[in-house]
Amino acid sequence: SGFKVEKDTWWILKSSMISPKLLFRSKFLVATICATVYANAWIFAIMIVTKMPIGFWLPVLGMSTLMIVSATAFNTAVGSLPWICEIDVHSQTHRRRPMMRFATMALTMAVNIVVLVIPLMIWQFVFIAENRFGLLEDYSIVVVQQLVLLIMLVSLVLLCLGSNIIGIKFLKKNISS
């Protein structure tokens, strides 16, 4: 969901009256809404087919929505970086910067693991520990799951704000030059 597709028509975006803020937010919202609807429709269908208890539907759909929004926010911001989307702002060279691309992709994977995978694993561990082994009898499983959900929501807001700042900054730089 970056801006690599717009590489050949970048001059149109530069000459239009579309602000970098509107461009980034439009791309982010379209990617998020389409991905969320598509993924949650399939997840919902799987929950119906597997006859998952209704009490689990909201947490499962909520977790998938959080993960999709986090991933699209970060990936849209990363996709707006000039060395990732390969926009040649001066039309002089066709440098691809492979080391910068590799470092950016490694950072993207690390952030996705910290923001998405680890909280999801904690959420699942709490659920499995309580339901299968009874390890958390003295603790309220609802409180632990709500704390993990709160941490994920806070990280989602911070990630969306950070991605918005990064994406708009680089798009503004690329459009104005």
Side-chain angles (χ1 to χ4, degrees):
S1 62
F3 292 87
K4 193 171 185 173
V5 177
E6 287 88 358
K7 177 174 71 170
D8 295 330
T9 58
W10 192 248
W11 66 273
I12 295 172
L13 291 173
K14 286 179 73 171
S15 64
S16 70
M17 299 302 293
I18 298 173
S19 69
K21 186 184 292 187
L22 179 64
L23 181 64
F24 180 82
R25 289 182 180 164
S26 301
K27 188 90 167 181
F28 167 66
L29 286 174
V30 168
T32 302
I33 291 169
C34 291
T36 303
V37 168
Y38 181 76
N40 282 340
W42 282 106
I43 290 170
F44 187 70
I46 290 170
M47 289 189 301
I48 290 172
V49 169
T50 60
K51 297 179 183 168
M52 182 182 280
I54 294 176
F56 297 130
W57 287 15
L58 188 60
V60 169
L61 291 173
M63 291 296 286
S64 69
T65 301
L66 282 175
M67 291 178 63
I68 291 166
V69 172
S70 298
T72 55
F74 194 69
N75 291 333
T76 304
V78 168
S80 69
L81 300 174
W83 56 88
I84 298 295
C85 62
E86 297 176 354
I87 296 172
D88 188 16
V89 291
H90 300 295
S91 298
Q92 295 173 351
T93 61
H94 294 288
R95 295 181 295 166
R96 298 205 183 245
R97 297 184 184 175
M99 292 308 293
M100 288 287 286
R101 292 181 77 171
F102 179 75
T104 305
M105 289 301 143
L107 177 66
T108 302
M109 286 178 53
V111 169
N112 283 336
I113 288 171
V114 169
V115 173
L116 301 175
V117 176
I118 291 174
L120 184 62
M121 289 175 63
I122 292 170
W123 179 285
Q124 291 300 321
F125 174 73
V126 168
F127 176 74
I128 291 169
E130 178 61 27
N131 286 338
R132 290 201 180 159
F133 306 115
L135 295 176
L136 301 172
E137 292 175 4
D138 295 338
Y139 301 101
S140 172
I141 190 167
V142 174
V143 172
V144 175
Q145 285 183 334
Q146 287 176 351
L147 285 174
V148 172
L149 186 61
L150 177 66
I151 291 169
M152 287 189 73
L153 283 172
V154 168
S155 64
L156 171 70
V157 168
L158 292 175
L159 186 66
C160 285
L161 288 174
S163 297
N164 206 351
I165 291 168
I166 290 169
I168 291 171
K169 176 186 172 195
F170 279 101
L171 283 178
K172 194 178 291 185
K173 181 179 175 183
N174 286 335
I175 288 178
S176 65
S177 61

